Amino acid sequence: MSKTIPLARLRNIGVAAHVDAGKTTLTERILFYAGASHKIGEVHEGAAHMDYLAEEQRHGITITSAVTKAPWRDHLLQIVDTPGHVDFTIEVERSMRILDGCVLVLDGVRGVEPQTETIWRQRSRFNLPALFFVNKMDRPGADLDQALADIAKRLGGEPVAVTVPAAESDGVVHLIDATLIRFTGEQGEVLDRGPCPADLWARCAPWREALLLAVADLDEALAEDVLAGTDPDPVEIRRVLRQGTLSGRLFPTYAGSALRNIGVQPLLDGVVDFLPAPPDRPPALARRPDGTSEEIVLGGPGPLVALAFKVQLWDGRRHVFARVYRNRLRPGDRVVHLAAGGRLVQEQVARLFDVDAGKKTRTDEAGPGEIVLIAGLRHAATGDTLCAPEHPLALERIDARRPVLSLAIEPAHGQDTDKLIEALDKLTQEDPTLVVEDDLETGQRLLEGMGELHLQIVLERLAREFGLEVRSGRPAVATRETIRRAARGEALYAPPPSPDPKVGERRARVAVRLAPLARGSGLRIGGDPRVRPEGGTLNPLQQTAIADGLRVALAVGPLQGAPLEDLEVTLEEIELFGQASTPEALTAAAARAVQKTMAGARPALLHPVMAVEVVVPEANLGAVLGDLQARQAAIRDTVGRGAEVTIVGEVPLERLLGYTTTLRSLTQGRGQFSMQFERFDLV
């Protein structure tokens, strides 16, 4: 690809949105109008090109991020279509990590929704320039002004309208060019551009003025034209708007209806005009094994650097998606990546593929900026940096969220146990938010994930891809443990002498203090312990042993054996007994000191609390509010918008299991709700 397309003409973008905002429908139109596909596939018919998994077609939602390419105006767009459902937010997180810009899709009726805010935070973390597409503007209740106000208020961005709907013309008004664009032909592929009629242009005056004021703030020459009442040159408006977009100060916003084929081509023009090429992005920072750092300029000189951002089973075989940052990658190349503990793992690239959603095509090489699928890497995982063997580096890793829901699972047939373990291992390599653990008390195997739909999809995949029939229990929420008051304690580890003469005496004493922390603080370990006998010092091995003991103790709480968090451990005193204070003795003494002190610190369970947004018809508001309050909901706000009311609040996750069915019953199928993990808290 990059042999014929220079980096300046490459746009590496993601399309992201709250579930059901029309993101995949928009992507289908992008591919059709760009000539990358010959037919528009509709999500509601289970025929979307980008939703190629059987589970995506069955449920009518995007589950996994899909990669494709499309040409537009002598540029090449690499497009990643991401899921909108909160259960699959890791797909958005790792896609954002390797993108240069993104298109955020809003529902014109609902505006900014909960998952939109999550996506915005993910975008902000990587400082990605973004465009907005306000979709479904053909629907009753759609309001562009309200959507723009939502972006400013709830996201803190400054949206700048570039196209606005012209409903009576089945088109849009382009505010930079002062043109009316109609979309004709069988599927909106023919554009009829002409001067905007005077009466319609007069109605667009507030949006045009807001656009000019926004760009005038960034450029003195443009400001002089605007203040003088002179219409600035559209070329100058685009130049300054691009500067504002790349700096993250402005967010060009387009309006339309993807399902009705309105407004998509101007958005594509905006991707080319305003979103960055790879060289426009700041250098990535990589860490060397010796702890020093190195700047990686995309496309710059130097040995190979590529980031593995996704593992995926393809035709039953392990493949790795990677983005190349520097140099070139070819079949047969040897690469290294840093494993836990700084160990270097060397592997060989067997084959490379270009990807178009569910199709792959072999390619001979991949250069800077390209997203490529690699076969042959057995150990590379999400977040690993693939490097030349003589120059190992590690780019910033990709964080995975912690699971909040679990299922006890077992194979329906006992002889399938090994097959189930192998299948789960493959699925957890694909999905870092999926965790498999063994419950030591019950002996059950627990499958932990981000929500009911997430776990349901895993069970469906086990049946379809691996031919495994699995029995599962009822979903149970994942808990954490904490303490409610400070306490001090100590433990002396002094087991009876061993009958084995080779095993000497083992003895150590550790004193600790525990204190609760604010919610979301995690764990802190500190203190400058007094070491006895006086003058005694801890060698590195002993320091590591004590840290191991604390880590073991904090991994298992006293109430349900759940991990501990939101507390501080302060080491106050360590007593050494010469040769008897072995590393094993220190580990045991540290662990017992924490466990013993915990009993007097009022341990408590923390439950996952979800931020929820429930959209219901106004007539059903009372019944839905009453039901939410019975579920221990803390209602934060109710916002009316037309005939619908949005309820915003927080609810413990265990009270939301099966809530979709109840909500449908209370609203005759018209209510919708979404949730996202907020924090672990006392309930």
Side-chain angles (χ1 to χ4, degrees), residues 339-423:
R343 182 173 56 90
L344 281 175
V345 178
Q346 186 166 140
E347 303 196 70
Q348 185 167 8
V349 174
R351 291 174 298 282
L352 295 179
F353 300 94
D354 273 335
V355 175
D356 174 19
K359 300 174 185 174
K360 59 181 184 179
T361 308
R362 289 184 72 159
T363 185
D364 294 333
E365 65 174 20
E370 292 189 53
I371 295 172
V372 68
L373 185 68
I374 306 172
L377 303 183
R378 298 172 54 197
H379 305 290
T382 297
D384 283 343
T385 304
L386 310 178
C387 312
E390 71 278 5
H391 197 79
L393 294 168
L395 292 164
E396 180 188 357
R397 296 197 66 84
I398 297 168
D399 292 334
R401 299 189 177 207
R402 296 173 295 180
V404 295
L405 208 62
S406 67
L407 281 177
I409 62 169
E410 62 180 23
H413 310 290
Q415 67 269 24
D416 286 341
T417 299
D418 290 343
K419 189 177 177 183
L420 176 61
I421 293 171
E422 183 182 350

Side-chain angles (χ1 to χ4, degrees), residues 505-509 532 539 542 575-586:
E505 183 187 7
R506 290 163 294 166
R507 195 176 183 88
R509 185 176 70 86
R532 293 175 176 270
N539 62 43
Q542 290 171 324
E575 188 168 1
L576 302 177
F577 297 86
Q579 296 297 318
S581 293
T582 62
E584 294 76 15
L586 285 164

Side-chain angles (χ1 to χ4, degrees), residues 249-321:
R249 293 180 62 181
L250 300 178
F251 298 90
T253 302
Y254 295 76
S257 171
L259 189 62
R260 291 192 58 201
N261 308 318
I262 296 172
V264 178
Q265 294 94 324
L267 173 69
L268 279 170
D269 288 336
V271 168
V272 168
D273 290 340
F274 304 126
L275 287 184
D280 296 323
R281 297 288 291 147
L285 199 63
R287 179 177 48 82
R288 300 189 185 103
D290 63 5
T292 59
S293 60
E294 177 179 335
E295 282 194 345
I296 308 298
V297 177
L298 204 147
L304 173 73
V305 177
L307 182 68
F309 68 94
K310 181 177 177 177
V311 176
Q312 183 167 330
L313 293 177
W314 206 305
D315 301 328
R317 293 187 176 88
R318 190 181 196 273
H319 291 71
V320 175
F321 277 99

Side-chain angles (χ1 to χ4, degrees), residues 32 59 109 121 143 174 179 212 230-231 267 310 332 406 408 461 520 571 578 647:
F32 178 73
H59 292 274
V109 179
R121 287 193 293 269
D143 188 334
H174 201 295
T179 54
L212 294 181
T230 306
D231 265 353
L267 173 69
K310 181 177 177 177
S406 67
R461 289 188 62 191
L571 279 166
I647 305 165

